[in-house]
Amino acid sequence: MELPPEIGEVLLTEEMIRDKIRELAKRITDDYRDRDLLLVGVLKGAFILMSDLAREISLPLEFDFMAVSSYGSATRTSGVVRILKDLDFEISGRHVLLVEDIIDSGLTLLYLLKYLQTRTPASLEVCALMRKEGIQKVALDVRYEGFEIPARFVVGYGLDYRQKYRNLPYVAVMREEPPHSG
Ligand code: PRP
């Protein structure tokens, strides 16, 4: 794919992402071998990861999705997330693996974990491809973590700048780093 001019340094190449997803998927396959696995993806960012990860997991899993939206800048500090699309399925008694593309402040994930926990899943774990290093405001237990990346504005592999660049097959830094994401 041709590199758009506003796209800078590539942090994660296609190959790095592919190898990491295989590694994570293998662990997930081993860990959930005798369990009924439900992958829950957080839209929109996680849709590409969901697709690639699921095809590397050798288990008869099921999918569900949630769509969430921040209330703007206040959310970045309050952690309140607006649920745009809730789960289609009941998760009580199910083994749920929440799939996220990136953990930034960690507030979205913290909110979702608390929300899902109230629905009494048999287990609830997290798979996140990226975590920005050193900026989480909350402690999170992420069982399947792909990469720690610098706390810069990145796009690609599901991540957007004004809804663009989600389809880049790699993760790269924006040349002019915007003051806010989304
Ligand atoms: C991104 C990402 C996570 C969240 C992480 O989603 O997909 O869900 O931000 O940020 P946090 O750790 O600071 O809470 P975004 O709100 O940009 O929506 P999108 O996935 O639809 O792009």
Side-chain angles (χ1 to χ4, degrees), residues 42-46 68-70 75-76 81 100-110 112 136 140 158-160 163 166 181-182:
V42 185
L43 296 172
K44 306 185 183 67
V68 299
S69 161
S70 58
T75 304
R76 298 280 161 203
V81 168
E100 258 288 24
D101 49 347
I102 191 161
I103 301 170
D104 198 319
S105 68
L107 293 173
T108 303
L109 191 57
L110 182 73
L112 286 173
Q136 281 76 54
L140 292 164
L159 296 168
D160 73 304
Q163 303 306 322
R166 294 190 197 274
S181 62

PDB file of all heavy atoms in Angstrom, residues 42-46 68-70 75-76 81 100-110 112 136 140 158-160 163 166 181-182, ligand 1:
ATOM      1  N   VAL A  42     -14.364  -4.779  20.619  1.00  0.00           N
ATOM      2  CA  VAL A  42     -14.812  -3.418  20.893  1.00  0.00           C
ATOM      3  C   VAL A  42     -14.640  -2.586  19.619  1.00  0.00           C
ATOM      4  O   VAL A  42     -13.525  -2.323  19.182  1.00  0.00           O
ATOM      5  CB  VAL A  42     -14.018  -2.795  22.061  1.00  0.00           C
ATOM      6  CG1 VAL A  42     -14.590  -1.424  22.411  1.00  0.00           C
ATOM      7  CG2 VAL A  42     -14.045  -3.710  23.273  1.00  0.00           C
ATOM      8  N   LEU A  43     -15.773  -2.228  19.041  1.00  0.00           N
ATOM      9  CA  LEU A  43     -15.765  -1.471  17.787  1.00  0.00           C
ATOM     10  C   LEU A  43     -15.426  -0.011  18.043  1.00  0.00           C
ATOM     11  O   LEU A  43     -15.691   0.481  19.145  1.00  0.00           O
ATOM     12  CB  LEU A  43     -17.146  -1.561  17.138  1.00  0.00           C
ATOM     13  CG  LEU A  43     -17.562  -2.979  16.723  1.00  0.00           C
ATOM     14  CD1 LEU A  43     -19.021  -2.990  16.279  1.00  0.00           C
ATOM     15  CD2 LEU A  43     -16.657  -3.506  15.628  1.00  0.00           C
ATOM     16  N   LYS A  44     -14.907   0.690  17.066  1.00  0.00           N
ATOM     17  CA  LYS A  44     -14.595   0.081  15.802  1.00  0.00           C
ATOM     18  C   LYS A  44     -13.194  -0.501  15.750  1.00  0.00           C
ATOM     19  O   LYS A  44     -12.918  -1.396  14.948  1.00  0.00           O
ATOM     20  CB  LYS A  44     -14.699   1.129  14.666  1.00  0.00           C
ATOM     21  CG  LYS A  44     -15.978   1.870  14.575  1.00  0.00           C
ATOM     22  CD  LYS A  44     -15.935   2.780  13.311  1.00  0.00           C
ATOM     23  CE  LYS A  44     -17.186   3.608  13.198  1.00  0.00           C
ATOM     24  NZ  LYS A  44     -17.293   4.610  14.289  1.00  0.00           N
ATOM     25  N   GLY A  45     -12.304   0.080  16.550  1.00  0.00           N
ATOM     26  CA  GLY A  45     -10.883  -0.223  16.397  1.00  0.00           C
ATOM     27  C   GLY A  45     -10.509  -1.693  16.319  1.00  0.00           C
ATOM     28  O   GLY A  45      -9.588  -2.056  15.599  1.00  0.00           O
ATOM     29  N   ALA A  46     -11.223  -2.546  17.051  1.00  0.00           N
ATOM     30  CA  ALA A  46     -10.784  -3.939  17.179  1.00  0.00           C
ATOM     31  C   ALA A  46     -11.231  -4.848  16.040  1.00  0.00           C
ATOM     32  O   ALA A  46     -10.903  -6.034  16.039  1.00  0.00           O
ATOM     33  CB  ALA A  46     -11.271  -4.514  18.512  1.00  0.00           C
ATOM     34  N   VAL A  68     -18.657   1.338  21.560  1.00  0.00           N
ATOM     35  CA  VAL A  68     -18.671   2.347  22.610  1.00  0.00           C
ATOM     36  C   VAL A  68     -18.150   3.661  22.066  1.00  0.00           C
ATOM     37  O   VAL A  68     -17.455   3.702  21.063  1.00  0.00           O
ATOM     38  CB  VAL A  68     -17.815   1.919  23.828  1.00  0.00           C
ATOM     39  CG1 VAL A  68     -18.356   0.656  24.442  1.00  0.00           C
ATOM     40  CG2 VAL A  68     -16.360   1.765  23.457  1.00  0.00           C
ATOM     41  N   SER A  69     -18.520   4.705  22.735  1.00  0.00           N
ATOM     42  CA  SER A  69     -18.056   6.012  22.317  1.00  0.00           C
ATOM     43  C   SER A  69     -17.779   6.850  23.551  1.00  0.00           C
ATOM     44  O   SER A  69     -18.497   6.774  24.541  1.00  0.00           O
ATOM     45  CB  SER A  69     -19.138   6.669  21.465  1.00  0.00           C
ATOM     46  OG  SER A  69     -18.931   8.039  21.407  1.00  0.00           O
ATOM     47  N   SER A  70     -16.747   7.642  23.435  1.00  0.00           N
ATOM     48  CA  SER A  70     -16.460   8.531  24.554  1.00  0.00           C
ATOM     49  C   SER A  70     -17.398   9.735  24.464  1.00  0.00           C
ATOM     50  O   SER A  70     -17.949  10.040  23.411  1.00  0.00           O
ATOM     51  CB  SER A  70     -15.013   8.993  24.486  1.00  0.00           C
ATOM     52  OG  SER A  70     -14.789   9.635  23.266  1.00  0.00           O
ATOM     53  N   THR A  75     -14.499  12.278  28.997  1.00  0.00           N
ATOM     54  CA  THR A  75     -14.377  10.840  29.162  1.00  0.00           C
ATOM     55  C   THR A  75     -12.955  10.413  29.457  1.00  0.00           C
ATOM     56  O   THR A  75     -12.722   9.460  30.175  1.00  0.00           O
ATOM     57  CB  THR A  75     -14.846  10.130  27.878  1.00  0.00           C
ATOM     58  OG1 THR A  75     -16.155  10.565  27.635  1.00  0.00           O
ATOM     59  CG2 THR A  75     -14.821   8.642  28.040  1.00  0.00           C
ATOM     60  N   ARG A  76     -12.043  11.123  28.883  1.00  0.00           N
ATOM     61  CA  ARG A  76     -10.635  10.760  29.068  1.00  0.00           C
ATOM     62  C   ARG A  76     -10.225  10.850  30.534  1.00  0.00           C
ATOM     63  O   ARG A  76      -9.282  10.231  30.951  1.00  0.00           O
ATOM     64  CB  ARG A  76      -9.732  11.639  28.202  1.00  0.00           C
ATOM     65  CG  ARG A  76      -9.995  11.485  26.726  1.00  0.00           C
ATOM     66  CD  ARG A  76      -9.341  10.236  26.140  1.00  0.00           C
ATOM     67  NE  ARG A  76      -9.938   9.860  24.877  1.00  0.00           N
ATOM     68  CZ  ARG A  76      -9.903   8.639  24.361  1.00  0.00           C
ATOM     69  NH1 ARG A  76      -9.307   7.657  25.012  1.00  0.00           N
ATOM     70  NH2 ARG A  76     -10.459   8.372  23.214  1.00  0.00           N
ATOM     71  N   VAL A  81     -18.162   5.771  29.616  1.00  0.00           N
ATOM     72  CA  VAL A  81     -18.236   5.375  28.216  1.00  0.00           C
ATOM     73  C   VAL A  81     -19.696   5.212  27.834  1.00  0.00           C
ATOM     74  O   VAL A  81     -20.487   4.668  28.597  1.00  0.00           O
ATOM     75  CB  VAL A  81     -17.472   4.039  28.021  1.00  0.00           C
ATOM     76  CG1 VAL A  81     -17.755   3.429  26.677  1.00  0.00           C
ATOM     77  CG2 VAL A  81     -15.983   4.270  28.198  1.00  0.00           C
ATOM     78  N   GLU A 100      -9.392  -5.886  22.337  1.00  0.00           N
ATOM     79  CA  GLU A 100      -9.189  -4.443  22.124  1.00  0.00           C
ATOM     80  C   GLU A 100      -7.965  -4.215  21.251  1.00  0.00           C
ATOM     81  O   GLU A 100      -6.993  -4.976  21.340  1.00  0.00           O
ATOM     82  CB  GLU A 100      -8.954  -3.741  23.469  1.00  0.00           C
ATOM     83  CG  GLU A 100     -10.158  -3.001  24.008  1.00  0.00           C
ATOM     84  CD  GLU A 100     -10.499  -1.721  23.245  1.00  0.00           C
ATOM     85  OE1 GLU A 100     -10.139  -1.592  22.066  1.00  0.00           O
ATOM     86  OE2 GLU A 100     -11.138  -0.851  23.849  1.00  0.00           O
ATOM     87  N   ASP A 101      -8.010  -3.193  20.427  1.00  0.00           N
ATOM     88  CA  ASP A 101      -6.831  -2.884  19.633  1.00  0.00           C
ATOM     89  C   ASP A 101      -5.761  -2.208  20.484  1.00  0.00           C
ATOM     90  O   ASP A 101      -4.594  -2.575  20.436  1.00  0.00           O
ATOM     91  CB  ASP A 101      -7.202  -2.011  18.416  1.00  0.00           C
ATOM     92  CG  ASP A 101      -8.070  -0.824  18.793  1.00  0.00           C
ATOM     93  OD1 ASP A 101      -8.599  -0.791  19.917  1.00  0.00           O
ATOM     94  OD2 ASP A 101      -8.235   0.087  17.963  1.00  0.00           O
ATOM     95  N   ILE A 102      -6.187  -1.220  21.289  1.00  0.00           N
ATOM     96  CA  ILE A 102      -5.174  -0.455  22.019  1.00  0.00           C
ATOM     97  C   ILE A 102      -5.684  -0.006  23.388  1.00  0.00           C
ATOM     98  O   ILE A 102      -6.866   0.306  23.546  1.00  0.00           O
ATOM     99  CB  ILE A 102      -4.698   0.761  21.179  1.00  0.00           C
ATOM    100  CG1 ILE A 102      -3.456   1.397  21.797  1.00  0.00           C
ATOM    101  CG2 ILE A 102      -5.817   1.782  20.997  1.00  0.00           C
ATOM    102  CD1 ILE A 102      -2.674   2.273  20.823  1.00  0.00           C
ATOM    103  N   ILE A 103      -4.759  -0.001  24.331  1.00  0.00           N
ATOM    104  CA  ILE A 103      -5.043   0.559  25.654  1.00  0.00           C
ATOM    105  C   ILE A 103      -4.241   1.833  25.777  1.00  0.00           C
ATOM    106  O   ILE A 103      -3.012   1.821  25.654  1.00  0.00           O
ATOM    107  CB  ILE A 103      -4.653  -0.433  26.768  1.00  0.00           C
ATOM    108  CG1 ILE A 103      -5.416  -1.744  26.603  1.00  0.00           C
ATOM    109  CG2 ILE A 103      -4.916   0.178  28.138  1.00  0.00           C
ATOM    110  CD1 ILE A 103      -4.936  -2.857  27.502  1.00  0.00           C
ATOM    111  N   ASP A 104      -4.964   2.908  25.974  1.00  0.00           N
ATOM    112  CA  ASP A 104      -4.328   4.224  26.079  1.00  0.00           C
ATOM    113  C   ASP A 104      -4.353   4.590  27.561  1.00  0.00           C
ATOM    114  O   ASP A 104      -3.510   4.149  28.324  1.00  0.00           O
ATOM    115  CB  ASP A 104      -5.163   5.173  25.202  1.00  0.00           C
ATOM    116  CG  ASP A 104      -4.433   6.453  24.845  1.00  0.00           C
ATOM    117  OD1 ASP A 104      -3.769   6.993  25.726  1.00  0.00           O
ATOM    118  OD2 ASP A 104      -4.545   6.907  23.702  1.00  0.00           O
ATOM    119  N   SER A 105      -5.363   5.332  27.988  1.00  0.00           N
ATOM    120  CA  SER A 105      -5.474   5.623  29.425  1.00  0.00           C
ATOM    121  C   SER A 105      -5.894   4.367  30.196  1.00  0.00           C
ATOM    122  O   SER A 105      -5.652   4.250  31.395  1.00  0.00           O
ATOM    123  CB  SER A 105      -6.508   6.718  29.656  1.00  0.00           C
ATOM    124  OG  SER A 105      -7.805   6.237  29.340  1.00  0.00           O
ATOM    125  N   GLY A 106      -6.570   3.459  29.507  1.00  0.00           N
ATOM    126  CA  GLY A 106      -7.084   2.256  30.161  1.00  0.00           C
ATOM    127  C   GLY A 106      -8.509   2.411  30.660  1.00  0.00           C
ATOM    128  O   GLY A 106      -9.123   1.457  31.141  1.00  0.00           O
ATOM    129  N   LEU A 107      -9.054   3.611  30.530  1.00  0.00           N
ATOM    130  CA  LEU A 107     -10.372   3.885  31.110  1.00  0.00           C
ATOM    131  C   LEU A 107     -11.508   3.162  30.379  1.00  0.00           C
ATOM    132  O   LEU A 107     -12.464   2.706  31.008  1.00  0.00           O
ATOM    133  CB  LEU A 107     -10.630   5.395  31.136  1.00  0.00           C
ATOM    134  CG  LEU A 107      -9.713   6.179  32.087  1.00  0.00           C
ATOM    135  CD1 LEU A 107      -9.919   7.677  31.915  1.00  0.00           C
ATOM    136  CD2 LEU A 107      -9.973   5.775  33.535  1.00  0.00           C
ATOM    137  N   THR A 108     -11.397   3.060  29.061  1.00  0.00           N
ATOM    138  CA  THR A 108     -12.434   2.341  28.303  1.00  0.00           C
ATOM    139  C   THR A 108     -12.489   0.890  28.760  1.00  0.00           C
ATOM    140  O   THR A 108     -13.561   0.338  29.045  1.00  0.00           O
ATOM    141  CB  THR A 108     -12.130   2.384  26.786  1.00  0.00           C
ATOM    142  OG1 THR A 108     -12.033   3.739  26.382  1.00  0.00           O
ATOM    143  CG2 THR A 108     -13.206   1.685  25.985  1.00  0.00           C
ATOM    144  N   LEU A 109     -11.321   0.306  28.840  1.00  0.00           N
ATOM    145  CA  LEU A 109     -11.241  -1.101  29.231  1.00  0.00           C
ATOM    146  C   LEU A 109     -11.734  -1.312  30.657  1.00  0.00           C
ATOM    147  O   LEU A 109     -12.486  -2.261  30.927  1.00  0.00           O
ATOM    148  CB  LEU A 109      -9.787  -1.561  29.086  1.00  0.00           C
ATOM    149  CG  LEU A 109      -9.545  -3.048  29.192  1.00  0.00           C
ATOM    150  CD1 LEU A 109     -10.366  -3.797  28.168  1.00  0.00           C
ATOM    151  CD2 LEU A 109      -8.061  -3.330  28.971  1.00  0.00           C
ATOM    152  N   LEU A 110     -11.340  -0.441  31.544  1.00  0.00           N
ATOM    153  CA  LEU A 110     -11.771  -0.571  32.940  1.00  0.00           C
ATOM    154  C   LEU A 110     -13.294  -0.522  33.028  1.00  0.00           C
ATOM    155  O   LEU A 110     -13.927  -1.339  33.702  1.00  0.00           O
ATOM    156  CB  LEU A 110     -11.171   0.551  33.788  1.00  0.00           C
ATOM    157  CG  LEU A 110     -11.521   0.474  35.273  1.00  0.00           C
ATOM    158  CD1 LEU A 110     -10.749  -0.657  35.940  1.00  0.00           C
ATOM    159  CD2 LEU A 110     -11.226   1.788  35.986  1.00  0.00           C
ATOM    160  N   LEU A 112     -15.487  -1.181  30.622  1.00  0.00           N
ATOM    161  CA  LEU A 112     -16.090  -2.367  30.000  1.00  0.00           C
ATOM    162  C   LEU A 112     -15.949  -3.608  30.868  1.00  0.00           C
ATOM    163  O   LEU A 112     -16.874  -4.422  30.958  1.00  0.00           O
ATOM    164  CB  LEU A 112     -15.450  -2.616  28.624  1.00  0.00           C
ATOM    165  CG  LEU A 112     -15.880  -1.643  27.546  1.00  0.00           C
ATOM    166  CD1 LEU A 112     -15.076  -1.869  26.271  1.00  0.00           C
ATOM    167  CD2 LEU A 112     -17.377  -1.779  27.260  1.00  0.00           C
ATOM    168  N   GLN A 136      -1.152   4.650  31.563  1.00  0.00           N
ATOM    169  CA  GLN A 136      -2.420   4.146  32.089  1.00  0.00           C
ATOM    170  C   GLN A 136      -2.723   4.812  33.432  1.00  0.00           C
ATOM    171  O   GLN A 136      -1.831   4.983  34.262  1.00  0.00           O
ATOM    172  CB  GLN A 136      -2.387   2.616  32.258  1.00  0.00           C
ATOM    173  CG  GLN A 136      -2.604   1.856  30.956  1.00  0.00           C
ATOM    174  CD  GLN A 136      -1.373   1.868  30.074  1.00  0.00           C
ATOM    175  OE1 GLN A 136      -0.315   1.487  30.518  1.00  0.00           O
ATOM    176  NE2 GLN A 136      -1.505   2.321  28.845  1.00  0.00           N
ATOM    177  N   LEU A 140      -4.610  -2.494  35.246  1.00  0.00           N
ATOM    178  CA  LEU A 140      -5.420  -3.446  34.485  1.00  0.00           C
ATOM    179  C   LEU A 140      -4.689  -4.774  34.386  1.00  0.00           C
ATOM    180  O   LEU A 140      -3.470  -4.804  34.228  1.00  0.00           O
ATOM    181  CB  LEU A 140      -5.659  -2.911  33.065  1.00  0.00           C
ATOM    182  CG  LEU A 140      -6.537  -1.672  32.948  1.00  0.00           C
ATOM    183  CD1 LEU A 140      -6.358  -1.053  31.579  1.00  0.00           C
ATOM    184  CD2 LEU A 140      -7.996  -2.034  33.185  1.00  0.00           C
ATOM    185  N   GLY A 158      -6.701  -0.763  12.343  1.00  0.00           N
ATOM    186  CA  GLY A 158      -7.910  -0.505  13.129  1.00  0.00           C
ATOM    187  C   GLY A 158      -7.962   0.867  13.761  1.00  0.00           C
ATOM    188  O   GLY A 158      -9.035   1.388  14.053  1.00  0.00           O
ATOM    189  N   LEU A 159      -6.789   1.474  13.941  1.00  0.00           N
ATOM    190  CA  LEU A 159      -6.740   2.786  14.608  1.00  0.00           C
ATOM    191  C   LEU A 159      -6.871   3.910  13.584  1.00  0.00           C
ATOM    192  O   LEU A 159      -6.248   3.858  12.524  1.00  0.00           O
ATOM    193  CB  LEU A 159      -5.414   2.950  15.344  1.00  0.00           C
ATOM    194  CG  LEU A 159      -5.179   1.976  16.486  1.00  0.00           C
ATOM    195  CD1 LEU A 159      -3.734   2.053  16.933  1.00  0.00           C
ATOM    196  CD2 LEU A 159      -6.105   2.309  17.633  1.00  0.00           C
ATOM    197  N   ASP A 160      -7.634   4.915  13.963  1.00  0.00           N
ATOM    198  CA  ASP A 160      -7.943   5.969  13.001  1.00  0.00           C
ATOM    199  C   ASP A 160      -7.421   7.337  13.411  1.00  0.00           C
ATOM    200  O   ASP A 160      -7.103   7.589  14.571  1.00  0.00           O
ATOM    201  CB  ASP A 160      -9.462   6.091  12.847  1.00  0.00           C
ATOM    202  CG  ASP A 160     -10.108   6.745  14.068  1.00  0.00           C
ATOM    203  OD1 ASP A 160      -9.910   6.224  15.183  1.00  0.00           O
ATOM    204  OD2 ASP A 160     -10.778   7.781  13.917  1.00  0.00           O
ATOM    205  N   GLN A 163     -11.373   8.981  11.527  1.00  0.00           N
ATOM    206  CA  GLN A 163     -11.987   7.812  10.864  1.00  0.00           C
ATOM    207  C   GLN A 163     -11.196   7.252   9.681  1.00  0.00           C
ATOM    208  O   GLN A 163     -11.600   6.251   9.099  1.00  0.00           O
ATOM    209  CB  GLN A 163     -13.444   8.105  10.433  1.00  0.00           C
ATOM    210  CG  GLN A 163     -14.344   8.525  11.570  1.00  0.00           C
ATOM    211  CD  GLN A 163     -14.347   7.522  12.728  1.00  0.00           C
ATOM    212  OE1 GLN A 163     -14.298   6.317  12.517  1.00  0.00           O
ATOM    213  NE2 GLN A 163     -14.416   8.015  13.959  1.00  0.00           N
ATOM    214  N   ARG A 166      -7.728   3.335   9.157  1.00  0.00           N
ATOM    215  CA  ARG A 166      -7.940   2.069   9.878  1.00  0.00           C
ATOM    216  C   ARG A 166      -7.468   0.877   9.048  1.00  0.00           C
ATOM    217  O   ARG A 166      -7.117  -0.164   9.584  1.00  0.00           O
ATOM    218  CB  ARG A 166      -9.428   1.878  10.200  1.00  0.00           C
ATOM    219  CG  ARG A 166      -9.999   2.883  11.192  1.00  0.00           C
ATOM    220  CD  ARG A 166     -11.390   2.420  11.608  1.00  0.00           C
ATOM    221  NE  ARG A 166     -12.172   3.468  12.231  1.00  0.00           N
ATOM    222  CZ  ARG A 166     -12.140   3.790  13.529  1.00  0.00           C
ATOM    223  NH1 ARG A 166     -11.356   3.134  14.344  1.00  0.00           N
ATOM    224  NH2 ARG A 166     -12.903   4.749  14.011  1.00  0.00           N
ATOM    225  N   SER A 181      -7.309  12.316  20.098  1.00  0.00           N
ATOM    226  CA  SER A 181      -7.528  11.171  19.223  1.00  0.00           C
ATOM    227  C   SER A 181      -8.986  11.070  18.831  1.00  0.00           C
ATOM    228  O   SER A 181      -9.825  11.801  19.329  1.00  0.00           O
ATOM    229  CB  SER A 181      -7.104   9.893  19.943  1.00  0.00           C
ATOM    230  OG  SER A 181      -7.892   9.716  21.083  1.00  0.00           O
ATOM    231  N   GLY A 182      -9.287  10.133  17.951  1.00  0.00           N
ATOM    232  CA  GLY A 182     -10.664   9.788  17.655  1.00  0.00           C
ATOM    233  C   GLY A 182     -11.187  10.302  16.377  1.00  0.00           C
ATOM    234  O   GLY A 182     -10.783  11.010  15.597  1.00  0.00           O
TER     235      GLY A 182
HETATM  236  C1  PRP B   1      -9.852   3.662  21.122  1.00  0.00           C
HETATM  237  C2  PRP B   1      -9.461   2.201  21.306  1.00  0.00           C
HETATM  238  C3  PRP B   1      -9.938   1.878  22.682  1.00  0.00           C
HETATM  239  C4  PRP B   1      -9.823   3.204  23.409  1.00  0.00           C
HETATM  240  C5  PRP B   1      -8.608   3.192  24.279  1.00  0.00           C
HETATM  241  O1  PRP B   1     -11.166   3.722  20.694  1.00  0.00           O
HETATM  242  O2  PRP B   1     -10.051   1.376  20.336  1.00  0.00           O
HETATM  243  O3  PRP B   1     -11.271   1.420  22.692  1.00  0.00           O
HETATM  244  O4  PRP B   1      -9.706   4.228  22.425  1.00  0.00           O
HETATM  245  O5  PRP B   1      -8.481   4.415  24.949  1.00  0.00           O
HETATM  246  P1  PRP B   1      -8.411   4.505  26.533  1.00  0.00           P
HETATM  247  O6  PRP B   1      -7.522   3.394  27.006  1.00  0.00           O
HETATM  248  O7  PRP B   1      -7.821   5.871  26.778  1.00  0.00           O
HETATM  249  O8  PRP B   1      -9.790   4.403  27.085  1.00  0.00           O
HETATM  250  P2  PRP B   1     -11.861   5.080  20.194  1.00  0.00           P
HETATM  251  O9  PRP B   1     -12.579   5.727  21.330  1.00  0.00           O
HETATM  252  O10 PRP B   1     -10.841   5.913  19.471  1.00  0.00           O
HETATM  253  O11 PRP B   1     -12.978   4.519  19.192  1.00  0.00           O
HETATM  254  P3  PRP B   1     -12.804   3.675  17.847  1.00  0.00           P
HETATM  255  O12 PRP B   1     -12.299   2.311  18.241  1.00  0.00           O
HETATM  256  O13 PRP B   1     -14.176   3.619  17.272  1.00  0.00           O
HETATM  257  O14 PRP B   1     -11.813   4.400  16.978  1.00  0.00           O
END
